[in-house]
Amino acid sequence: MLLVALLSNGLLEIWFQYQTHTSSLGRIQSEQARAASAKIEQFIKEIQDQIGWTTQLPWAAGAPFEQRRFDALRLLRQVPAITEIAQLDPTGHEQLRVSRLATDVAGSGTDFSEEPKFTEAIAHKLYFGPVYFRRESEPYMTLAVAGARRAAGVSVAEVDLRFIWDVVSQIKVGQHGHALVVDAQDRLIAYPDLSLVLRNTDLSGLAQIRQARANSTDPTTPDPLEARDLEGRRVLSAYAPVAPLGWLVFVELPLDEAYAPLTASIERSGLVLLAALGLAFFAALLLARIMVGPIHALRSGAARIGSGDLGHRISIETGDELEALAAQFNEMAGRLQESHADLESKVEALRRNEAYLSAGQSIIQTGSWAWNVETGEIYWSQEVFRILGFDPKVHKPAVGASAALLSPDERQIFQQKLEAAVRERGEFAYEYRIVLPDRSQKSVQSVAKPIVNSSGTLEYIGILADVTDRRRGEEALRRAQAELARVSRVTTIGEFGASIAHEINQPLAAIVASGNACRNWLANGPNLGRAKESLDRIISDANRAGEIIRRVRALTRNRAPEQVPLMVNDIVDDVLTFAQGELDARKIAVRKEYLAAGLAIMGDKVQLQQVLLNLVMNGIEAMAPITDRRREVLIRSQRDDDGNLVVTVQDNGTGLDPIDAQRIFDAFYTTKPDGMGMGLSISMSIVEAHGGRLWVSPAIPHGTAFHFCLPAASRRPS
Amino acid sequence: MTDDPPTVLVVDDDPSIRSALHDLFESVGLRVAVFGSTREFLHGRRPNGPCCLVLDVRLPERSGLDFQRELKEANIRLPIIFLTGHADIPMSVRAMKAGAVEFLTKPFRDQDLLDAVQLALDQDRGARATERLVEALRGRFAELTPREQTVMALVVAGRMNKQIAAEIGTSEVTAKVHRANMMRKMQAASLGDLFVMAGHLGMAGKAAGPDRTDDA
């Protein structure tokens, strides 16, 4: 804007200057032309006047010739331009000729009466002859002046126009400008370069001359004209007519000089304009620095902050509203940065939490899932994918995706449980086995809780736990416990080995004896009746031995525990079968109090026999040091207040140290020199596995009582 | 004096064993009496004839070995054959030291048992004969005058007549008379006979006083 204004202003100024200058230049030049014209007119006029002075004397009066000659010579002296003066008498005959170039001629009488110089002079008192070139080089003009009176005749002067050159030369047009004069025939008469004049140059071809001729009828002074001069230079040309002669005076100024002031002015203006422009530019720069810079800084700063470079601060020190604005921007960016950092730390914390969660899920082999029942939207954690053997990049979570891994039966149960849970908006829990694509099997447990949000949308949030290892571990533990129990049982039976051997030896001895008797009966007589009786006993005793072996094998066989209805008194009797020998050997009396006849329990016969054997064996050993009283073990079965079965095995031995009583059920804790410390521990775990309890109490007045209670069969939780 | 036929006494708490042994002994023609417990045995009548006891080591209330000692303490002399389901060496040594005829482990070969029984019965038979002899000797000994009893003890102790006379304060001739009377009353054909008799009477090799022969 500013530039356009300055530029137009400068251009306008230049244009006005140009107009003014051109017109003034034109005026000056026209004036010069007129002045030159006037000078030439003056010059001619003076010559004319001088000649007039010499043409006073009438020829008739017969003025002295010498006078005339003297006048002529004086004239020549006074007017250097006149080369030759001739005086014609009224008849037109030459009477006197005084010349600078030739000898004076007096009274030649040459008739010039028919010549224009005489006729025209007579007619118009004055005659200007055409310009001619003497010796084809010097411009001359014949000037004829008739005397005031007819008698005075006519004075004819040959005027050397080179003197006009002086006039013309004196006209200074600028530095390099010039004036020139052409005659009526457009021949060059005067020009600073004389050689051109002397060459009788015809200038009718020049545009300005043609123009001037065309305008000759126009009385007004024409404006100067741009044209080309003799040497082809571009000039500003003005002219003025030399009226009486029909000459034209041209004043020509080279265009470049003519317009030099204008050019200078324009240059000046241009410089000023440039300076102004420069100034404006610097001002603009300054302004930009002051105004635009901060705004730009503000804008780019805002852009950087906007693009996330929250650490960027806008630095503006203008001391104005911009600085305040920048300060606010900075403050805003600072707050943004703070909140962003806060957010980032929260995001980082979240990410870390998620990583922890994921790692934790991986460690505990439990994934989490969510299922929006209405929208069907499902979320699985990484661990769920891993457990199910799915690739998160390939598989999408779906309700049916995991169901596909189930066996058809389990799938049906799974679906039913799920549908029931959704219908009742209740919790869902199911443990099932899945078969992965690689045929490996897993035990997984799915537990979920329903969440109903405000809009009534039902969503399940749950976990999926890989319990394969746990189940395997439990199975292994169960097996190990069973094996340990069996080993312990075998050990216990080993302790009763002598007793058991006795129990088996008895029928065997009887069989042998009866067999021998039978043989004897057959040999002597034979007495077949007695022999048959012997055989009957043999069979009976063999059966008895077989029964004992069967019981021992049942105790030592490696088999899974089973849950069957049992009558506890039968178990006690069985146990005493094994223990009786030992009890007899140690002179221990057994007292049985069966107060709970008919009370059935659910359990494993062998395991419960093991418990009883253990307790009886403990009692036997506790009574070993007793010599001062009758050794007796009491086995009692009874119902407690809750209808459960309580079995007590009580000895009247040394009793139990209170410290031992606290630790006696710990594994590997033993009070016996050669004990393993497993019996009571295993008994405890067996009783607990049956949902019961095993404890110890002191017996009155001597000994220890072990008790275990078992839930009655009808009360046993399934 | 007529003896009952030889009898095998069986004490075992196991009825199968009792029946089988009863059968076995009967099948070889022995008389058998079976008892379920020692108490039953003690209350039962003992036959007057050679007999032996087949005793189970392990019995309720008291063991066979204890019962053996009790019998001995009660001066009931009876050859015992022990039966046991499982014998250990100390137990058998103790039984044998206490005078057991045999210690058999069940199940036993019948011949071993029968041999043992036969041996035991023979022992008992011999014992019963010795017992009868001793009874007779005691009777004869009781017939002796106190001075003759003293002389017998001194003779058995190996004293010469002169020494005996000095001991009892008589002349050597009187001592000879007492000695001769004693030999005649005791029906001792020789001094060796007398020594055997003295052994039966429990005075062999000792300077037994007359007070030691009062037991009968």
Side-chain angles (χ1 to χ4, degrees):
Chain A
M1 271 297 284
L2 197 67
L3 282 173
V4 169
L6 276 169
L7 218 55
S8 59
N9 180 45
L11 287 175
L12 266 175
E13 194 177 326
I14 288 164
W15 189 74
F16 280 121
Q17 269 190 0
Y18 172 80
Q19 289 295 320
T20 319
H21 185 76
T22 313
S23 65
S24 70
L25 201 65
R27 268 201 311 279
I28 289 164
Q29 236 172 302
S30 297
E31 210 57 50
Q32 277 182 325
R34 263 195 302 279
S37 159
K39 269 189 178 170
I40 292 166
E41 278 182 28
Q42 183 66 32
F43 173 68
I44 298 297
K45 189 83 161 69
E46 274 177 14
I47 294 170
Q48 185 191 329
D49 285 351
Q50 290 296 330
I51 295 169
W53 283 110
T54 57
T55 323
Q56 296 293 326
L57 295 171
W59 285 102
F65 181 73
E66 279 309 313
Q67 180 70 36
R68 287 193 185 259
R69 195 174 154 227
F70 179 74
D71 285 347
L73 286 170
R74 199 182 54 196
L75 184 64
L76 284 179
R77 202 177 295 128
Q78 282 179 339
V79 185
I82 296 172
T83 307
E84 190 182 78
I85 180 88
Q87 290 194 328
L88 303 179
D89 66 10
T91 60
H93 295 79
E94 189 186 65
Q95 296 303 323
L96 179 68
R97 175 183 300 249
V98 177
S99 175
R100 296 178 198 268
L101 306 170
T103 53
D104 297 350
V105 178
S108 67
T110 316
D111 187 8
F112 291 107
S113 61
E114 295 306 319
E115 294 212 9
K117 59 187 175 188
F118 180 71
T119 56
E120 287 292 315
I122 294 300
H124 302 293
K125 294 292 189 192
L126 192 60
Y127 167 69
F128 297 107
V131 177
Y132 66 94
F133 289 86
R134 182 178 285 213
R135 294 193 297 274
E136 288 300 314
S137 63
E138 293 166 13
Y140 275 84
M141 185 184 72
T142 305
L143 178 62
V145 179
R149 289 168 301 176
R150 183 149 175 104
V154 174
S155 294
V156 178
E158 298 303 322
V159 180
D160 189 346
L161 291 182
R162 276 184 300 179
F163 289 94
I164 293 175
W165 177 79
D166 292 338
V167 175
V168 170
S169 298
Q170 282 162 13
I171 298 169
K172 292 301 291 178
V173 183
Q175 292 276 314
H176 305 287
H178 57 262
L180 65 88
V181 181
V182 293
D183 70 358
Q185 278 73 45
D186 294 341
R187 280 181 307 183
L188 189 63
I189 299 167
Y191 189 67
D193 183 0
L194 199 57
S195 64
L196 283 175
V197 177
L198 299 182
R199 258 182 266 147
N200 185 19
T201 312
D202 184 357
L203 295 178
S204 59
L206 287 179
Q208 61 267 45
I209 291 169
R210 277 207 309 277
Q211 181 79 27
R213 291 294 174 211
N215 284 351
S216 61
T217 52
D218 190 353
T220 56
T221 311
D223 287 333
L225 185 72
E226 283 183 25
R228 291 188 183 276
D229 69 1
L230 292 173
E231 292 155 35
R233 289 176 305 189
R234 289 180 57 82
V235 291
L236 189 65
S237 175
Y239 76 94
V242 183
L245 301 171
W247 295 358
L248 294 171
V249 176
F250 284 86
V251 173
E252 293 183 337
L253 190 63
L255 266 183
D256 46 2
E257 191 186 333
Y259 289 123
L262 193 62
T263 315
S265 165
I266 287 169
E267 275 173 4
R268 235 174 11 254
S269 295
L271 278 173
V272 168
L273 193 63
L274 270 176
L277 279 174
L279 212 62
F281 179 71
F282 283 115
L285 266 182
L286 204 64
L287 214 63
R289 285 182 77 106
I290 292 168
M291 288 286 292
V292 181
I295 288 172
H296 179 73
L298 210 57
R299 195 172 62 83
S300 68
R304 278 183 70 175
I305 291 166
S307 68
D309 182 7
L310 297 178
H312 181 69
R313 290 290 176 273
I314 302 165
S315 170
I316 295 175
E317 290 172 3
T318 54
D320 55 7
E321 291 85 347
L322 282 176
E323 189 176 331
L325 192 60
Q328 284 197 337
F329 254 110
N330 288 340
E331 195 185 342
M332 181 191 77
R335 292 220 190 101
L336 269 177
Q337 195 174 20
E338 270 173 36
S339 64
H340 188 256
D342 188 38
L343 213 60
E344 287 228 314
S345 71
K346 278 177 183 160
V347 166
E348 179 57 32
L350 270 177
R351 201 176 291 134
R352 207 178 313 129
N353 278 351
E354 197 179 327
Y356 289 160
L357 185 64
S358 185
Q361 288 194 351
S362 171
I363 290 165
I364 63 171
Q365 299 188 320
T366 301
S368 54
W369 55 268
W371 174 41
N372 189 319
V373 179
E374 262 74 12
T375 64
E377 216 173 305
I378 290 181
Y379 160 79
W380 282 357
S381 76
Q382 290 286 323
E383 187 61 13
V384 172
F385 280 104
R386 197 199 61 73
I387 290 170
L388 297 178
F390 287 159
D391 184 355
K393 296 190 191 78
V394 179
H395 295 91
K396 287 257 177 268
V399 178
S402 60
L405 303 172
L406 269 63
S407 68
D409 290 348
E410 277 201 313
R411 191 181 312 154
Q412 201 179 348
I413 300 169
F414 180 87
Q415 294 288 358
Q416 285 169 357
K417 281 191 175 261
L418 193 63
E419 281 163 17
V422 169
R423 197 166 49 243
E424 292 161 14
R425 308 205 146 198
E427 295 188 0
F428 170 78
Y430 187 45
E431 183 173 327
Y432 49 95
R433 296 186 68 79
I434 54 172
V435 181
L436 267 49
D438 63 3
R439 310 308 303 161
S440 65
Q441 293 197 354
K442 273 184 185 172
S443 294
V444 295
Q445 194 176 34
S446 197
V447 180
K449 272 190 168 183
I451 290 180
V452 182
N453 62 24
S454 54
S455 61
T457 307
L458 179 63
E459 189 170 10
Y460 273 93
I461 292 177
I463 57 127
L464 183 74
D466 185 350
V467 295
T468 312
D469 292 344
R470 200 188 306 165
R471 293 290 169 262
R472 279 189 194 138
E474 284 169 0
E475 180 59 31
L477 180 64
R478 202 156 41 234
R479 252 184 264 132
Q481 278 176 338
E483 183 60 25
L484 185 63
R486 192 180 74 87
V487 169
S488 163
R489 208 152 57 226
V490 171
T491 308
T492 306
I493 287 163
E495 288 171 341
F496 286 104
S499 179
I500 291 165
H502 183 254
E503 288 302 318
I504 294 171
N505 270 333
Q506 291 291 94
L508 285 181
I511 286 166
V512 171
S514 297
N516 286 318
C518 181
R519 190 186 58 202
N520 292 339
W521 292 127
L522 289 174
N524 307 333
N527 189 334
L528 293 179
R530 292 298 299 264
K532 184 179 168 294
E533 282 174 26
S534 300
L535 283 172
D536 286 345
R537 273 198 309 280
I538 287 170
I539 292 166
S540 164
D541 288 336
N543 283 336
R544 179 183 154 202
E547 175 64 17
I548 291 162
I549 289 167
R550 195 188 57 71
R551 288 185 193 172
V552 172
R553 282 198 60 208
L555 270 173
T556 54
R557 199 182 303 140
N558 189 5
R559 52 177 263 296
E562 55 184 8
Q563 296 283 317
V564 293
L566 298 170
M567 305 303 282
V568 72
N569 296 343
D570 296 346
I571 297 172
V572 177
D573 286 341
D574 281 346
V575 165
L576 287 177
T577 304
F578 305 123
Q580 191 63 58
E582 193 71 22
L583 290 164
D584 291 345
R586 308 246 190 167
K587 302 189 194 73
I588 295 169
V590 175
R591 187 149 54 95
K592 295 189 278 191
E593 292 182 6
Y594 292 168
L595 307 177
L599 181 60
I601 53 157
M602 290 295 288
D604 184 78
K605 187 176 180 182
V606 169
Q607 287 193 340
L608 293 178
Q609 283 178 346
Q610 182 177 0
V611 173
L612 271 168
L613 266 179
N614 255 311
L615 298 182
V616 169
M617 193 46 145
N618 283 336
I620 288 170
E621 289 176 351
M623 289 184 286
I626 303 302
T627 52
D628 60 339
R629 58 180 176 266
R630 190 166 175 259
R631 300 171 186 172
E632 184 187 75
V633 61
L634 166 68
I635 298 177
R636 182 196 294 131
S637 64
Q638 62 187 343
R639 262 178 235 260
D640 71 0
D641 296 342
D642 297 327
N644 295 320
L645 173 72
V646 177
V647 177
T648 301
V649 178
Q650 181 180 327
D651 62 65
N652 61 350
T654 52
L656 208 56
D657 190 296
I659 295 168
D660 292 335
Q662 290 183 350
R663 300 189 55 195
I664 199 163
F665 295 108
D666 294 348
F668 303 115
Y669 185 83
T670 180
T671 57
K672 306 169 196 167
D674 54 350
M676 213 176 32
M678 290 305 294
L680 280 174
S681 166
I682 288 170
S683 297
M684 174 75 98
S685 57
I686 288 173
V687 170
E688 283 175 349
H690 280 75
R693 200 157 64 80
L694 174 64
W695 73 100
V696 66
S697 69
I700 308 295
H702 305 287
T704 311
F706 285 91
H707 318 267
F708 64 87
C709 80
L710 295 171
S714 58
R715 292 164 176 273
R716 185 82 197 282
S718 62
Chain B
M1 178 174 167
T2 53
D3 276 357
D4 288 336
T7 308
V8 180
L9 306 170
V10 175
V11 178
D12 200 317
D13 62 322
D14 190 320
S16 295
I17 299 285
R18 278 205 307 269
S19 304
L21 289 178
H22 190 268
D23 195 18
L24 176 64
F25 291 135
E26 276 194 343
S27 72
V28 293
L30 289 169
R31 277 186 64 194
V32 185
V34 295
F35 308 93
S37 66
T38 53
R39 194 179 321 178
E40 205 178 310
F41 172 81
L42 289 174
H43 284 109
R45 186 195 77 87
R46 239 173 318 138
N48 184 19
C51 54
C52 69
L53 176 59
V54 175
L55 181 61
D56 192 5
V57 171
R58 189 157 62 181
L59 290 167
E61 295 172 4
R62 78 190 94 173
S63 79
L65 292 174
D66 293 340
F67 188 55
Q68 180 191 28
R69 196 175 63 242
E70 277 176 44
L71 287 176
K72 197 175 181 182
E73 282 166 7
N75 212 10
I76 298 172
R77 203 183 23 76
L78 201 58
I80 298 175
I81 298 159
F82 280 106
L83 295 180
T84 178
H86 60 297
D88 51 19
I89 290 168
M91 194 191 282
S92 58
V93 167
R94 188 179 147 206
M96 296 306 282
K97 270 189 170 173
V101 175
E102 188 61 277
F103 197 98
L104 294 172
T105 304
K106 297 180 206 171
F108 39 80
R109 287 176 59 231
D110 68 327
Q111 201 52 57
D112 291 345
L113 178 61
L114 292 177
D115 288 350
V117 164
Q118 212 54 62
L119 181 65
L121 287 174
D122 288 348
Q123 266 185 22
D124 195 44
R125 210 173 275 121
R128 288 180 70 86
T130 306
E131 199 173 315
R132 273 199 292 273
L133 175 64
V134 171
E135 286 292 320
L137 287 176
R138 280 179 180 153
R140 290 175 207 162
F141 189 74
E143 294 295 311
L144 297 179
T145 62
R147 177 127 315 189
E148 287 166 352
Q149 286 178 352
T150 307
V151 169
M152 181 177 170
L154 290 169
V155 169
V156 170
R159 300 288 201 282
M160 312 269 269
N161 289 338
K162 206 189 290 179
Q163 291 170 309
I164 297 167
E167 288 247 355
I168 61 174
T170 62
S171 67
E172 194 176 346
V173 177
T174 309
K176 279 186 178 175
V177 172
H178 285 310
R179 180 173 174 165
N181 285 341
M182 179 272 290
M183 290 293 279
R184 183 181 35 84
K185 283 182 179 174
M186 288 302 290
Q187 299 174 15
S190 64
L191 199 59
D193 254 3
L194 187 72
F195 276 121
V196 171
M197 288 174 184
H200 284 302
L201 289 169
M203 45 196 291
K206 294 176 196 167
D211 55 318
R212 292 208 47 206
T213 57
D214 56 350
D215 199 341

